[in-house]
Amino acid sequence: MKRHKRGHRTQPAPLAIAALLVMSLAISAAACGTGESTDGSSPTPAVSPSASAASAADGDAGSAAAVEGGSGELPVLGPSPDSFSFVVTSDTVAPGYLPFTESQWELMQSLIGPMTGYTAGDPGSGVVAEPTFADGGGLLTHLSLAIPGRAAREIDYRAGWPVRVVEVDGGVSRQTFRRAGQTWVYESVADALEPGGAAFGLHAGDLSFWGLQGRAAEDSPYWSDLRKRLLDRVAPARLQVGAVSAPGSGVTGLDGRVVACVGNHETWGDPELEGMRGALPALEGLGFAADRPVWAFDFGGTRFIGLDSEAFVDAGGDARPLDHAAQMALLREWLDGAAEAGLDRAVVLYHRPSFTLGRVGGLPAATDPHLVLREYTDRLDVLVFNGHVHTTEAFEVEGVRYVVCGAGGSEQELVTRVPRAGYPLDSYWAGAPREEEYAWVEVRVDGDDADVLVHRWRPSAPDLAETVELFGG
């Protein structure tokens, strides 16, 4: 093995880097969807709960009404079942794809800085990277990162993908990512979306890492990996929903069963959201576009709403096509419409959380959608899903239920901050020390009831996958 320690000055990755990377992908064309036999960490657990298994009983409250069409036609789901289920996940992308050999150090170096600097909240200057490559001109197998002001990282790679990340801080080591956990989430969600199971899947953002290694869904290694390991495994069906954000009115058939809101990583290096729009064709049917990255639809007595929380970071900023004020006007319009139509509830997705005990903190109070959402709890059951913080959290604030579902497969957020006096309590961890876990959420709707369940796998108990119900259900 060869190890090289190099102090590394960060510079923004130029457009030429993306072009060079496309050529380098030929070295590891088979890397996307690498089998877990190369993981080097805990295997995928034998027990994998699925919504379809949980809803096998007669009178199933978790399955959508499916009607087979004529010969050659897809099954039709919706638009108004009395009982159905849907799944939610977030932050499923792996930390960073580096399919490089020692001879490509300059290219690799130009990417490491932005990758680490972005997550560390600075340009990445002063980062010291020590790579190890396979003998005989082989690919990167290990990367040691010393990041000023942050915990060091020890990262194992297989075929360009990180398979294991260990955080080292003050002499204490703890694993914060394993590809097997990400695989468990993908496989469990795909199983839950089998015929007779959940009607559709929602994603609260950060499906891809960035657009600097390819923007289009067919060019980006991140979108290609997601498609191969999850999206292409979702059983095809025609999802019929009530049009709200799309032009026209009435029932619309969506091309696909996975819908997502914009995360910060979708916009990074891809301002037109080319990858997101290409990988998730259902969004087009909802009127989602680069200049209007929001959506709303009705299904089973519920209004589903997706917002772009990147516009909420700076109330007066113009970095996003729909600013905070414009989105809050749409949110009020859509919530008013749901209440007037006699719908039971509203499910709202936006990536950055309103409430969290994670180090990044929640949205600024002045731009928090909670200020609007709390006004509707006397007319609607309001349920919110956020991501961004890579763990699971649950808060109930002024009648609104909030779930942070960021344990979908990215590097784990295990450190908490001390909240200010009077801050809402997280009922999921309930003060217990956080540990590495991989999780996704299932919501079972039956008339007036919407039960929220977390399916999780914790490597501390690798043979046991658990299901817990949130909010004292």
Side-chain angles (χ1 to χ4, degrees), residues 362-440:
L363 287 167
T367 57
D368 191 341
H370 179 71
L371 299 178
V372 173
L373 296 170
R374 66 184 182 182
E375 298 176 10
Y376 290 84
T377 56
D378 60 339
R379 293 187 283 168
L380 295 165
D381 174 19
V382 182
L383 178 58
V384 177
F385 291 99
N386 302 134
H388 197 57
V389 177
H390 298 170
T391 188
T392 306
E393 296 175 303
F395 302 88
E396 191 161 6
V397 186
E398 296 181 291
V400 182
R401 293 184 289 173
Y402 289 90
V403 180
V404 176
C405 49
S410 292
E411 188 176 356
Q412 301 279 298
E413 175 68 72
L414 303 179
V415 177
T416 60
R417 59 186 172 82
V418 178
R420 67 178 185 273
Y423 196 83
L425 298 176
D426 166 30
S427 61
Y428 182 72
W429 293 100
R434 298 187 177 188
E435 63 176 289
E436 184 189 2
E437 75 166 21
Y438 300 87
W440 55 280

Side-chain angles (χ1 to χ4, degrees), residues 111-139:
L111 294 170
I112 291 174
M115 283 178 176
T116 57
Y118 185 81
T119 56
D122 60 40
S125 58
V127 171
V128 176
E130 183 181 347
T132 302
F133 298 94
D135 293 333
L139 293 171

Side-chain angles (χ1 to χ4, degrees), residues 273-452:
L273 301 174
E274 184 178 353
M276 186 174 182
R277 291 185 290 116
L280 303 175
L283 291 173
E284 182 179 0
L286 298 175
F288 181 96
D291 61 353
R292 198 172 187 271
V294 295
W295 48 260
F297 66 88
D298 294 342
F299 188 94
T302 302
R303 176 150 295 180
F304 294 87
I305 297 170
L307 303 174
D308 174 12
S309 63
E310 291 309 285
F312 306 160
V313 179
D314 180 5
D318 58 359
R320 302 298 300 143
L322 283 182
D323 64 13
H324 172 261
Q327 289 193 57
M328 291 306 98
L330 283 172
L331 179 59
R332 289 184 183 277
E333 176 186 331
W334 291 337
L335 291 174
D336 285 335
E340 292 166 4
L343 300 183
D344 298 314
R345 70 190 55 79
V347 172
V348 185
L349 267 71
Y350 49 93
H351 181 64
R352 293 180 184 261
S354 287
F355 301 97
T356 179
L357 296 182
R359 288 181 294 187
V360 298
L363 287 167
T367 57
D368 191 341
H370 179 71
L371 299 178
V372 173
L373 296 170
R374 66 184 182 182
E375 298 176 10
Y376 290 84
T377 56
D378 60 339
R379 293 187 283 168
L380 295 165
D381 174 19
V382 182
L383 178 58
V384 177
F385 291 99
N386 302 134
H388 197 57
V389 177
H390 298 170
T391 188
T392 306
E393 296 175 303
F395 302 88
E396 191 161 6
V397 186
E398 296 181 291
V400 182
R401 293 184 289 173
Y402 289 90
V403 180
V404 176
C405 49
S410 292
E411 188 176 356
Q412 301 279 298
E413 175 68 72
L414 303 179
V415 177
T416 60
R417 59 186 172 82
V418 178
R420 67 178 185 273
Y423 196 83
L425 298 176
D426 166 30
S427 61
Y428 182 72
W429 293 100
R434 298 187 177 188
E435 63 176 289
E436 184 189 2
E437 75 166 21
Y438 300 87
W440 55 280
V441 177
E442 176 191 3
V443 180
R444 297 179 184 172
V445 177
D446 186 10
D448 294 337
D449 298 325
D451 298 327
V452 183

Side-chain angles (χ1 to χ4, degrees), residues 64-78 194-196 235-238:
V67 180
E68 292 290 346
S71 177
E73 295 182 1
L74 293 176
V76 177
L77 304 178
E194 283 293 314
R238 191 69 171 169

